[in-house]
Amino acid sequence: MIGQSLSLAGLQKRYGEAFAVRELSLDITAGEFVSLLGPSGSGKTTALTMIAGFEAPNAGRITIGGRDVTFLPPNHRDIGMVFQKYALFPHLTIRQNIAFPLRMRGRMQKAAIARRVDEMLELVQLSGYAERYPNQLSGGQQQRVAVARALAFEPPVLLMDEPLGALDKKLREAMQFEIKRLQERLGATVIYVTHDQDEAMTMSDRVAIMSDGRLVQFGTPADLYRQPKTEFVADFIGRMNFIDGDCLESSAENAVVRLSEGIVLNVRSVANDRERRCSAGEALRMAIRPERMRLVKRGHGGADALPGIVHAAVFIGSTYIYLVRRADRPEASLQVQIAADGFAPFQKNDEVDILLDEKALHIFPVTERRAA
Ligand code: ADP
Ligand code: MG
């Protein structure tokens, strides 16, 4: 196990008056794979460059394996780095590229370096390519070389900034598994920056969601999906439907909410579920996943159902996604996901009732800014 723990405490970076990172505190365990996920401009790259030591923070501390590295130069931090553009040296062979950081460090004999390079090439399945030049390799192969180069000196922490961003979808997915396999095998601690939520969810032990220079939520992919703490996270992770309404009453155990159709739902709160409380009269935005709703024929849903009209049915292999227009609010369609067992139970223009699983309804105050 080469990985070390990494701790960020109150990290902050300003450029002039503007904050790139407002406040970032994270505790990452040795050997953990953590993604920083957020929209463009949310401060992910800035956070990474501070960890790598290319930029100094205006405030806060960075600790690696218990050692304060906040003001150490990059080459004293033992950090490996992989960028979106592979950044291989074009005039060096693949072997020379991978050997480069080992030679720079001056701690290994020539023969030992040659052995390590061979091991790394085998690890990324490019053994026959040592004497080629980068432009004789495909994009995916070049990125594997970049990963091999970053891992060659067994860095306790490996930083990757959108490393697969330049690759097409198929190759990107293959490389996701490749990187994950290498990371698990070597035990390195990885901080992986991406704006692609599928990528973050697939690869990570935990995901740190960033917005506007701040950490919004840090948790396992399942936590983030099931218990989004804010509307931003609910919207950012997976498919989500939003329904406006207001709060009628609330206690520690439940909330009674009214949807804009006038339908009243009694939402029982589950353990640790802060967000399922509200105060009477408060405007709410409620959220529910497509797979937590059902469709039945109009008139069969009972008093708690939302009337709707199917306006599209999308077959995506294992399931159908229905887009259903709410009868009272045709501008707001809902997505309903239903297992597909051979035939489509509903067609375009069918009148339906939409049933919501009340246990799966998230409640957010409307005052929260939608996209910030
Ligand atoms: P992300 O990687 O999440 O897309 P960045 O960390 O690159 O975000 O940028 C965060 C914010 O900081 C952006 O508003 C960006 O314009 C700003 N920023 C980043 N680097 C600099 C810089 N060197 N000078 C001025 N502003 C910067
Ligand atoms: Mg970036």
Side-chain angles (χ1 to χ4, degrees), residues 94-350:
I94 299 311
R95 169 178 300 286
Q96 290 164 337
N97 262 284
I98 298 176
F100 187 82
L102 300 173
R103 293 195 1 239
M104 289 305 286
R105 299 162 78 79
R107 294 182 204 156
M108 283 171 85
Q109 304 286 338
K110 251 186 147 164
I113 290 180
R115 268 201 311 279
R116 175 66 57 76
V117 171
D118 287 336
E119 279 168 27
M120 295 314 297
L121 282 170
E122 197 173 318
L123 208 59
V124 296
Q125 297 167 332
L126 285 174
S127 288
Y129 295 77
E131 306 316 320
R132 294 206 196 181
Y133 287 87
N135 67 4
Q136 296 172 303
L137 266 53
S138 72
Q141 289 170 331
Q142 290 184 52
Q143 196 54 297
R144 271 145 73 189
V145 174
V147 171
R149 183 177 61 180
L151 287 172
F153 66 92
E154 303 192 333
V157 174
L158 177 64
L159 308 179
M160 305 177 106
D161 193 353
E162 314 236 4
L164 308 181
L167 307 179
D168 66 42
K169 186 173 188 305
K170 262 234 152 78
L171 189 54
R172 208 161 65 221
E173 286 172 2
M175 284 292 293
Q176 287 170 4
F177 285 105
E178 184 96 339
I179 290 172
K180 189 73 188 144
R181 182 179 66 84
L182 285 174
Q183 181 260 342
E184 279 170 1
R185 173 139 167 220
L186 298 173
T189 306
V190 171
I191 305 184
Y192 190 99
V193 162
T194 180
H195 65 270
D196 178 337
Q197 57 129 329
D198 287 335
E199 185 162 289
M201 301 290 266
T202 308
M203 301 184 76
S204 315
D205 298 311
R206 285 191 290 173
V207 178
I209 311 248
M210 292 190 63
S211 167
D212 197 22
R214 281 202 180 84
L215 179 72
V216 204
Q217 192 170 352
F218 184 39
T220 64
D223 283 344
L224 297 173
Y225 190 83
R226 292 191 197 125
Q227 305 261 289
K229 287 209 173 89
T230 67
E231 187 189 336
F232 176 83
V233 176
D235 197 18
F236 200 68
I237 297 290
R239 294 166 192 268
M240 187 63 99
N241 292 295
F242 289 95
I243 299 174
D244 290 332
D246 55 3
C247 180
L248 296 184
E249 57 174 276
S250 179
S251 70
E253 289 80 37
N254 73 350
V256 181
V257 299
R258 182 170 53 196
L259 310 189
S260 40
E261 274 89 345
I263 290 161
V264 174
L265 296 176
N266 193 337
V267 184
R268 281 171 302 281
S269 118
V270 298
N272 305 327
D273 203 0
R274 273 191 308 108
E275 81 267 28
R276 276 180 205 166
R277 279 178 227 160
C278 52
S279 29
E282 186 184 16
L284 300 176
R285 183 160 290 130
M286 286 162 278
I288 187 163
R289 300 277 179 203
E291 69 274 17
R292 303 307 291 267
M293 300 196 289
R294 288 189 302 124
L295 297 180
V296 294
K297 277 202 189 114
R298 177 74 59 81
H300 290 68
D304 289 350
L306 292 175
I309 296 166
V310 174
H311 76 94
V314 184
F315 180 61
I316 58 164
S318 55
T319 56
Y320 281 95
I321 307 272
Y322 286 100
L323 297 183
V324 186
R325 289 212 169 99
R326 292 162 63 188
D328 293 4
R329 321 196 70 217
E331 76 287 356
S333 354
L334 300 174
Q335 294 188 23
V336 184
Q337 184 172 352
I338 295 175
D341 41 8
F343 63 97
F346 297 99
Q347 314 291 336
K348 188 174 160 75
N349 297 326
D350 279 357

Side-chain angles (χ1 to χ4, degrees), residues 15-16 18-21 38-47 55 161-162 193:
Y15 291 109
F19 283 93
V21 171
S40 174
S42 54
K44 307 181 297 292
T45 294
T46 305
E55 294 274 11
D161 193 353
E162 314 236 4
V193 162

